[in-house]
Amino acid sequence: QQQVKQSPQSLIVQKGGISIINCAYENTAFDYFPWYQQFPGKGPALLIAIRPDVSEKKEGRFTISFNKSAKQFSLHIMDSQPGDSATYFCAALSNYQLIWGAGTKLIIKP
Amino acid sequence: DAGVIQSPRHEVTEMGQEVTLRCKPISGHNSLFWYRQTMMRGLELLIYFNNNVPIDDSGMPEDRFSAKMPNASFSTLKIQPSEPRDSAVYFCASSVTASLSYEQYFGPGTRLTVT
């Protein structure tokens, strides 16, 4: 019940395309859902986050879509750029602890 | 602010040796987390401190691992004795507990190789 399942494991998208990464959870007590971005040799950094009282949050080219009834949320990257190539982690907050997805390695082809 | 500082950035040691990883959280942050990242297991939370007190160490793999936070600006993660399976990248992260964003700020990590 504490798991967050993330898919796909890896993703290749053409420059300018839309990248979509999906996550699903079971625990309805989760109340905060962030996405972190990690570049090689760096620690993860917060990209965007959403609370379950809204269905969508947009920041620039990055959008989180949240479906509370389905217990799913996804990250959409519009107009994907080579600089977006990184590993993306979804997570869910339970008390103080972030429960992490397994990560998606995104490659944007020029 | 310099962000979360970790040292060393790389550590290569032989099996059986003691390894100490160090972390300086962001000033003013009162929560500190130690994570381990491997290809096989992803990001694993090892231990969580709040106001310098260990709150949850259930993620610490075994007694060979220990962590301390003697003050608000310093924490250590010690492995004694080290084993090849401990090879991983170890991250320290800090946050402000009362923050509405719950954002965790990660350090650059320490890449540990045990031969």
Side-chain angles (χ1 to χ4, degrees), chain B:
Chain B
D1 199 319
V4 175
I5 299 173
Q6 291 187 248
S7 64
R9 293 295 311 277
H10 302 272
E11 178 79 37
V12 180
T13 190
E14 292 183 347
M15 182 174 63
Q17 296 298 306
E18 178 179 295
V19 175
T20 299
L21 311 181
R22 296 172 176 79
C23 174
K24 178 179 169 56
I26 293 173
S27 177
H29 285 194
N30 63 336
S31 291
L32 185 137
F33 307 82
W34 280 101
Y35 288 93
R36 179 172 66 177
Q37 185 176 40
T38 61
M39 289 295 293
M40 289 297 294
R41 301 173 69 91
L43 265 170
E44 301 174 276
L45 176 65
L46 300 178
I47 188 168
Y48 159 61
F49 290 89
N50 185 251
N51 294 323
N52 312 337
V53 177
I55 303 299
D56 184 355
D57 65 354
S58 60
M60 297 286 262
E62 47 198 275
D63 292 346
R64 297 185 298 107
F65 286 69
S66 62
K68 294 182 180 180
M69 192 164 186
N71 56 61
S73 59
F74 184 65
S75 178
T76 59
L77 178 68
K78 185 178 294 186
I79 308 173
Q80 165 65 19
S82 58
E83 297 183 3
R85 60 190 168 123
D86 301 330
S87 297
V89 180
Y90 290 81
F91 288 104
C92 174
S94 70
S95 70
V96 178
T97 308
S99 167
L100 292 176
S101 73
Y102 302 105
E103 180 174 359
Q104 293 185 17
Y105 294 79
F106 282 74
T110 295
R111 182 173 294 276
L112 174 65
T113 303
V114 183
T115 60

Side-chain angles (χ1 to χ4, degrees), chain A residues 7-84:
Chain A
S7 63
Q9 190 174 14
S10 62
L11 181 62
I12 300 174
V13 175
Q14 289 291 132
K15 179 183 174 182
I18 302 174
S19 304
I20 302 175
I21 304 170
N22 301 298
C23 285
Y25 63 97
E26 288 295 325
N27 188 347
T28 56
F30 291 150
D31 58 3
Y32 174 76
F33 301 88
W35 285 89
Y36 279 73
Q37 179 188 54
Q38 184 179 27
F39 293 106
K42 306 288 186 181
L46 180 66
L47 181 64
I48 186 173
I50 196 168
R51 296 189 185 282
D53 53 346
V54 298
S55 60
E56 185 176 282
K57 183 173 182 180
K58 184 176 181 180
E59 291 184 0
R61 295 184 295 108
F62 301 90
T63 300
I64 300 178
S65 296
F66 188 84
N67 186 328
K68 189 173 182 177
S69 60
K71 291 186 281 188
Q72 295 176 346
F73 58 110
S74 60
L75 176 69
H76 296 238
I77 306 174
M78 311 299 289
D79 187 25
S80 300
Q81 299 296 312
D84 297 330

